[in-house]
Amino acid sequence: SAVTSLSLRDADMLPPAEIAAAVVAALEASHAATEGDVVTAVARSLGFKSTGDSLRTRITAEIRRLVAAGRIRDENQMLRLSE
């Protein structure tokens, strides 16, 4: 018997824009955070109780894309929004 739930989300189905918005929101709330803290905050804000490898990979990739685009900066392993 297959079990389905609207509350279950698949990390691979998350749009990059939704992840990026959650990353920015996490940094707006904390002003600065480690990558690990941002990953955890983003996962929770997107409704995930745990951060599996797939989800962590997707969030980390989006953080790196935002750093490369200049939206956030990595200063001594602390992520901050760019001014």
Side-chain angles (χ1 to χ4, degrees), residues 9-64:
R9 300 191 74 180
D10 182 352
D12 293 330
M13 300 302 289
L14 287 170
E18 186 175 354
I19 298 170
V23 169
V24 170
L27 289 173
E28 284 174 340
S30 66
H31 302 292
T34 64
E35 183 176 282
D37 288 343
V38 172
V39 168
T40 300
V42 168
R44 299 302 173 269
S45 74
L46 294 174
F48 291 89
K49 291 182 180 178
S50 64
T51 308
D53 289 339
S54 176
L55 181 59
R56 179 174 301 281
T57 298
R58 295 284 314 279
I59 296 169
T60 300
E62 197 57 32
I63 289 170
R64 297 221 166 93

Side-chain angles (χ1 to χ4, degrees), residues 2-6 8:
V3 176
T4 60
S5 171
L6 294 176
L8 295 177

